[in-house]
Short mmCIF file of all heavy atoms in Angstrom, two decimals:
data_model
loop_
_atom_site.label_atom_id
_atom_site.label_comp_id
_atom_site.label_asym_id
_atom_site.label_seq_id
_atom_site.Cartn_x
_atom_site.Cartn_y
_atom_site.Cartn_z
N THR A 529 77.40 33.65 91.95
CA THR A 529 76.66 33.58 93.26
C THR A 529 75.46 32.69 93.07
O THR A 529 75.15 31.83 94.00
CB THR A 529 76.18 34.99 93.74
OG1 THR A 529 77.36 35.80 93.74
CG2 THR A 529 75.53 34.98 95.09
N ALA A 530 74.62 32.83 91.98
CA ALA A 530 73.49 32.00 91.73
C ALA A 530 73.92 30.59 91.52
O ALA A 530 73.13 29.66 92.07
CB ALA A 530 72.76 32.51 90.49
N GLU A 531 75.02 30.31 90.87
CA GLU A 531 75.48 28.94 90.67
C GLU A 531 75.83 28.29 91.98
O GLU A 531 75.46 27.13 92.31
CB GLU A 531 76.66 28.93 89.78
CG GLU A 531 77.24 27.52 89.47
CD GLU A 531 78.49 27.64 88.57
OE1 GLU A 531 78.97 28.66 88.30
OE2 GLU A 531 78.90 26.47 88.20
N THR A 532 76.47 29.04 92.87
CA THR A 532 76.91 28.56 94.18
C THR A 532 75.71 28.32 94.96
O THR A 532 75.67 27.27 95.76
CB THR A 532 77.78 29.63 94.93
OG1 THR A 532 78.88 29.92 94.01
CG2 THR A 532 78.30 29.16 96.17
N ALA A 533 74.69 29.08 94.91
CA ALA A 533 73.42 28.93 95.66
C ALA A 533 72.68 27.60 95.27
O ALA A 533 72.21 26.85 96.12
CB ALA A 533 72.55 30.12 95.44
N VAL A 534 72.79 27.28 93.95
CA VAL A 534 72.13 26.13 93.40
C VAL A 534 72.88 24.83 93.97
O VAL A 534 72.26 23.96 94.46
CB VAL A 534 72.08 26.10 91.84
CG1 VAL A 534 71.63 24.70 91.39
CG2 VAL A 534 71.06 27.12 91.36
N VAL A 535 74.19 24.94 93.92
CA VAL A 535 75.06 23.86 94.35
C VAL A 535 74.79 23.54 95.80
O VAL A 535 74.61 22.40 96.31
CB VAL A 535 76.46 24.05 94.00
CG1 VAL A 535 77.36 22.96 94.68
CG2 VAL A 535 76.64 23.99 92.49
N ARG A 536 74.71 24.63 96.63
CA ARG A 536 74.62 24.53 98.04
C ARG A 536 73.25 23.96 98.32
O ARG A 536 73.13 23.06 99.23
CB ARG A 536 74.78 25.88 98.70
CG ARG A 536 74.72 25.81 100.17
CD ARG A 536 75.11 27.17 100.85
NE ARG A 536 75.25 28.33 100.08
CZ ARG A 536 74.29 29.22 99.88
NH1 ARG A 536 73.11 29.12 100.33
NH2 ARG A 536 74.59 30.32 99.07
N CYS A 537 72.22 24.39 97.66
CA CYS A 537 70.84 23.85 97.90
C CYS A 537 70.74 22.43 97.65
O CYS A 537 70.12 21.68 98.38
CB CYS A 537 69.84 24.72 97.17
SG CYS A 537 68.12 24.19 97.47
N LEU A 538 71.34 22.05 96.50
CA LEU A 538 71.26 20.62 96.06
C LEU A 538 71.98 19.71 96.99
O LEU A 538 71.55 18.57 97.27
CB LEU A 538 71.80 20.50 94.66
CG LEU A 538 70.87 21.01 93.56
CD1 LEU A 538 71.60 20.89 92.24
CD2 LEU A 538 69.61 20.30 93.49
N ARG A 539 73.06 20.22 97.60
CA ARG A 539 73.82 19.41 98.59
C ARG A 539 73.08 19.31 99.86
O ARG A 539 73.09 18.22 100.54
CB ARG A 539 75.16 20.00 98.85
CG ARG A 539 76.12 19.76 97.64
CD ARG A 539 77.56 20.21 97.99
NE ARG A 539 78.41 19.90 96.85
CZ ARG A 539 79.48 20.61 96.60
NH1 ARG A 539 79.85 21.68 97.32
NH2 ARG A 539 80.20 20.25 95.53
N LEU A 540 72.39 20.32 100.28
CA LEU A 540 71.60 20.33 101.58
C LEU A 540 70.37 19.46 101.43
O LEU A 540 69.92 18.79 102.36
CB LEU A 540 71.18 21.71 102.00
CG LEU A 540 72.31 22.62 102.56
CD1 LEU A 540 71.77 24.06 102.76
CD2 LEU A 540 72.86 22.00 103.82
N ASN A 541 69.75 19.50 100.18
CA ASN A 541 68.51 18.72 99.98
C ASN A 541 68.80 17.62 98.94
O ASN A 541 68.14 17.49 97.93
CB ASN A 541 67.39 19.70 99.41
CG ASN A 541 67.09 20.77 100.34
OD1 ASN A 541 66.75 20.47 101.48
ND2 ASN A 541 67.12 22.04 99.87
N ASP A 542 69.76 16.78 99.24
CA ASP A 542 70.16 15.74 98.26
C ASP A 542 69.00 14.65 98.02
O ASP A 542 68.93 14.07 97.02
CB ASP A 542 71.45 15.05 98.70
CG ASP A 542 71.29 14.36 100.07
OD1 ASP A 542 70.38 14.68 100.77
OD2 ASP A 542 72.14 13.50 100.33
N ARG A 543 68.13 14.60 98.99
CA ARG A 543 66.99 13.64 98.82
C ARG A 543 65.82 14.33 98.20
O ARG A 543 64.87 13.66 97.79
CB ARG A 543 66.65 13.03 100.11
CG ARG A 543 67.76 12.27 100.79
CD ARG A 543 67.51 10.85 100.92
NE ARG A 543 68.56 10.18 101.67
CZ ARG A 543 69.43 9.30 101.23
NH1 ARG A 543 69.25 8.99 99.91
NH2 ARG A 543 70.21 8.77 102.02
N ARG A 544 65.75 15.71 98.23
CA ARG A 544 64.62 16.42 97.80
C ARG A 544 65.12 17.59 96.92
O ARG A 544 65.01 18.70 97.27
CB ARG A 544 63.86 16.99 98.97
CG ARG A 544 63.32 15.82 99.81
CD ARG A 544 62.60 16.35 101.04
NE ARG A 544 61.66 17.37 100.73
CZ ARG A 544 60.92 17.91 101.65
NH1 ARG A 544 61.04 17.62 102.86
NH2 ARG A 544 60.09 18.89 101.30
N PRO A 545 65.56 17.32 95.68
CA PRO A 545 66.21 18.28 94.80
C PRO A 545 65.12 19.37 94.33
O PRO A 545 65.47 20.46 93.92
CB PRO A 545 66.76 17.62 93.63
CG PRO A 545 66.14 16.24 93.57
CD PRO A 545 65.76 16.01 95.00
N LEU A 546 63.93 18.95 94.31
CA LEU A 546 62.87 19.79 93.81
C LEU A 546 62.62 21.02 94.76
O LEU A 546 61.95 22.06 94.38
CB LEU A 546 61.43 19.06 93.65
CG LEU A 546 61.46 17.98 92.57
CD1 LEU A 546 60.13 17.29 92.55
CD2 LEU A 546 61.83 18.66 91.17
N ASP A 547 63.17 20.91 95.94
CA ASP A 547 63.04 22.12 96.82
C ASP A 547 63.91 23.32 96.47
O ASP A 547 63.81 24.40 96.94
CB ASP A 547 63.40 21.63 98.33
CG ASP A 547 62.33 20.79 98.92
OD1 ASP A 547 61.20 20.74 98.42
OD2 ASP A 547 62.63 20.16 100.00
N CYS A 548 64.70 23.05 95.49
CA CYS A 548 65.73 24.09 95.03
C CYS A 548 65.22 24.83 93.81
O CYS A 548 66.00 25.47 93.09
CB CYS A 548 67.11 23.48 94.73
SG CYS A 548 67.80 22.68 96.20
N TRP A 549 64.01 24.82 93.54
CA TRP A 549 63.50 25.38 92.36
C TRP A 549 63.70 26.99 92.29
O TRP A 549 63.96 27.53 91.20
CB TRP A 549 61.98 25.09 92.13
CG TRP A 549 61.08 25.74 93.12
CD1 TRP A 549 60.70 25.18 94.32
CD2 TRP A 549 60.47 27.04 93.11
NE1 TRP A 549 59.89 26.00 94.98
CE2 TRP A 549 59.68 27.12 94.22
CE3 TRP A 549 60.48 28.03 92.15
CZ2 TRP A 549 58.91 28.27 94.46
CZ3 TRP A 549 59.64 29.08 92.40
CH2 TRP A 549 58.94 29.30 93.51
N ARG A 550 63.61 27.65 93.37
CA ARG A 550 63.93 29.05 93.39
C ARG A 550 65.25 29.42 93.02
O ARG A 550 65.54 30.36 92.22
CB ARG A 550 63.60 29.62 94.81
CG ARG A 550 62.13 29.64 95.21
CD ARG A 550 61.93 30.38 96.54
NE ARG A 550 60.68 30.19 97.03
CZ ARG A 550 60.29 29.27 97.88
NH1 ARG A 550 61.08 28.43 98.37
NH2 ARG A 550 58.99 29.19 98.22
N GLU A 551 66.27 28.70 93.55
CA GLU A 551 67.64 28.90 93.19
C GLU A 551 67.94 28.62 91.73
O GLU A 551 68.70 29.32 91.09
CB GLU A 551 68.56 28.06 94.11
CG GLU A 551 68.63 28.48 95.56
CD GLU A 551 67.39 27.95 96.33
OE1 GLU A 551 66.53 27.24 95.86
OE2 GLU A 551 67.41 28.28 97.62
N VAL A 552 67.27 27.60 91.22
CA VAL A 552 67.48 27.16 89.82
C VAL A 552 66.93 28.23 88.90
O VAL A 552 67.53 28.68 87.90
CB VAL A 552 66.83 25.75 89.48
CG1 VAL A 552 66.82 25.52 88.04
CG2 VAL A 552 67.54 24.70 90.27
N GLU A 553 65.76 28.75 89.21
CA GLU A 553 65.10 29.81 88.38
C GLU A 553 65.96 31.14 88.48
O GLU A 553 66.14 31.84 87.47
CB GLU A 553 63.66 30.13 88.97
CG GLU A 553 62.69 29.10 88.62
CD GLU A 553 62.51 28.81 87.13
OE1 GLU A 553 62.46 29.76 86.40
OE2 GLU A 553 62.47 27.58 86.76
N GLU A 554 66.55 31.44 89.67
CA GLU A 554 67.39 32.58 89.71
C GLU A 554 68.66 32.43 88.79
O GLU A 554 69.04 33.36 88.12
CB GLU A 554 67.77 32.90 91.15
CG GLU A 554 68.67 34.04 91.38
CD GLU A 554 68.15 35.35 90.99
OE1 GLU A 554 66.93 35.51 91.06
OE2 GLU A 554 68.84 36.32 90.61
N PHE A 555 69.17 31.24 88.89
CA PHE A 555 70.39 30.87 88.07
C PHE A 555 70.02 31.00 86.55
O PHE A 555 70.80 31.66 85.79
CB PHE A 555 70.90 29.51 88.35
CG PHE A 555 72.08 29.08 87.53
CD1 PHE A 555 73.26 29.67 87.71
CD2 PHE A 555 71.91 28.08 86.59
CE1 PHE A 555 74.39 29.16 86.94
CE2 PHE A 555 73.01 27.73 85.81
CZ PHE A 555 74.21 28.28 85.94
N LYS A 556 68.90 30.46 86.15
CA LYS A 556 68.52 30.62 84.72
C LYS A 556 68.36 32.08 84.33
O LYS A 556 68.71 32.47 83.26
CB LYS A 556 67.15 29.86 84.49
CG LYS A 556 67.26 28.35 84.51
CD LYS A 556 65.86 27.82 84.25
CE LYS A 556 65.72 26.34 84.33
NZ LYS A 556 64.34 25.93 84.11
N ARG A 557 67.75 32.88 85.17
CA ARG A 557 67.45 34.31 84.84
C ARG A 557 68.87 34.99 84.69
O ARG A 557 68.90 35.76 83.73
CB ARG A 557 66.73 34.85 86.02
CG ARG A 557 65.85 36.07 85.58
CD ARG A 557 65.00 36.65 86.72
NE ARG A 557 65.13 36.10 88.04
CZ ARG A 557 64.25 35.21 88.55
NH1 ARG A 557 63.19 34.76 87.83
NH2 ARG A 557 64.42 34.73 89.90
N GLU A 558 69.78 34.72 85.54
CA GLU A 558 71.05 35.36 85.36
C GLU A 558 71.83 34.94 84.19
O GLU A 558 72.51 35.73 83.49
CB GLU A 558 71.93 35.10 86.70
CG GLU A 558 71.36 35.80 87.92
CD GLU A 558 71.27 37.23 87.76
OE1 GLU A 558 72.12 37.96 87.13
OE2 GLU A 558 70.28 37.89 88.23
N VAL A 559 71.80 33.66 83.85
CA VAL A 559 72.47 33.10 82.69
C VAL A 559 71.89 33.74 81.43
O VAL A 559 72.52 34.11 80.47
CB VAL A 559 72.38 31.55 82.58
CG1 VAL A 559 72.92 31.11 81.27
CG2 VAL A 559 73.26 30.96 83.73
N THR A 560 70.48 33.86 81.36
CA THR A 560 69.85 34.47 80.32
C THR A 560 70.27 35.93 80.09
O THR A 560 70.52 36.39 79.02
CB THR A 560 68.31 34.39 80.45
OG1 THR A 560 67.88 33.05 80.62
CG2 THR A 560 67.55 34.94 79.24
N ARG A 561 70.35 36.68 81.20
CA ARG A 561 70.77 38.00 81.12
C ARG A 561 72.24 38.12 80.58
O ARG A 561 72.55 38.94 79.75
CB ARG A 561 70.69 38.66 82.50
CG ARG A 561 70.94 40.12 82.64
CD ARG A 561 71.06 40.66 83.99
NE ARG A 561 72.06 40.00 84.85
CZ ARG A 561 73.38 40.16 84.76
NH1 ARG A 561 73.86 41.01 83.83
NH2 ARG A 561 74.24 39.58 85.52
N LEU A 562 73.09 37.13 81.03
CA LEU A 562 74.49 37.15 80.59
C LEU A 562 74.55 36.86 79.06
O LEU A 562 75.35 37.50 78.37
CB LEU A 562 75.24 36.18 81.30
CG LEU A 562 76.77 36.02 81.12
CD1 LEU A 562 77.48 37.36 81.45
CD2 LEU A 562 77.39 34.86 81.80
N GLU A 563 73.68 35.86 78.57
CA GLU A 563 73.68 35.51 77.20
C GLU A 563 73.25 36.77 76.36
O GLU A 563 73.80 37.04 75.29
CB GLU A 563 72.81 34.34 76.94
CG GLU A 563 73.39 33.03 77.31
CD GLU A 563 72.28 31.95 77.20
OE1 GLU A 563 71.16 32.24 77.06
OE2 GLU A 563 72.73 30.74 77.36
N ASP A 564 72.19 37.43 76.81
CA ASP A 564 71.65 38.58 76.10
C ASP A 564 72.73 39.67 76.02
O ASP A 564 72.85 40.31 74.98
CB ASP A 564 70.42 39.17 76.77
CG ASP A 564 69.23 38.23 76.56
OD1 ASP A 564 69.21 37.32 75.70
OD2 ASP A 564 68.19 38.35 77.37
N ALA A 565 73.39 39.96 77.12
CA ALA A 565 74.45 40.88 77.04
C ALA A 565 75.58 40.51 76.04
O ALA A 565 76.01 41.45 75.36
CB ALA A 565 75.11 41.04 78.51
N PHE A 566 75.96 39.26 75.95
CA PHE A 566 76.92 38.83 75.03
C PHE A 566 76.49 39.01 73.64
O PHE A 566 77.28 39.59 72.74
CB PHE A 566 77.28 37.34 75.30
CG PHE A 566 78.29 36.80 74.31
CD1 PHE A 566 79.63 37.14 74.43
CD2 PHE A 566 77.86 35.88 73.26
CE1 PHE A 566 80.60 36.62 73.48
CE2 PHE A 566 78.73 35.43 72.36
CZ PHE A 566 80.12 35.78 72.43
N VAL A 567 75.27 38.60 73.33
CA VAL A 567 74.71 38.80 71.98
C VAL A 567 74.68 40.27 71.53
O VAL A 567 75.02 40.65 70.45
CB VAL A 567 73.34 38.08 71.80
CG1 VAL A 567 72.65 38.51 70.54
CG2 VAL A 567 73.46 36.59 71.95
N ASN A 568 74.26 41.11 72.45
CA ASN A 568 74.06 42.62 72.20
C ASN A 568 75.52 43.14 71.95
O ASN A 568 75.68 44.01 71.17
CB ASN A 568 73.38 43.24 73.33
CG ASN A 568 71.92 43.00 73.28
OD1 ASN A 568 71.34 42.63 72.30
ND2 ASN A 568 71.31 43.18 74.48
N LYS A 569 76.48 42.62 72.70
CA LYS A 569 77.79 43.14 72.50
C LYS A 569 78.35 42.76 71.20
O LYS A 569 79.02 43.59 70.52
CB LYS A 569 78.77 42.57 73.67
CG LYS A 569 80.13 42.95 73.64
CD LYS A 569 80.87 42.45 74.94
CE LYS A 569 82.22 42.13 74.69
NZ LYS A 569 82.84 41.53 75.86
#
Side-chain angles (χ1 to χ4, degrees):
T529 306
E531 180 183 10
T532 306
V534 169
V535 170
R536 187 173 3 99
C537 181
L538 288 173
R539 285 187 179 152
L540 290 174
N541 298 308
D542 61 343
R543 303 243 188 246
R544 298 174 50 179
L546 294 178
D547 288 344
C548 299
W549 67 272
R550 286 185 193 96
E551 290 81 1
V552 171
E553 289 301 317
E554 179 64 27
F555 178 72
K556 286 181 185 178
R557 204 174 9 257
E558 292 302 323
V559 169
T560 302
R561 188 186 58 73
L562 183 66
E563 288 173 346
D564 290 342
F566 176 76
V567 169
N568 287 333
K569 182 175 149 185

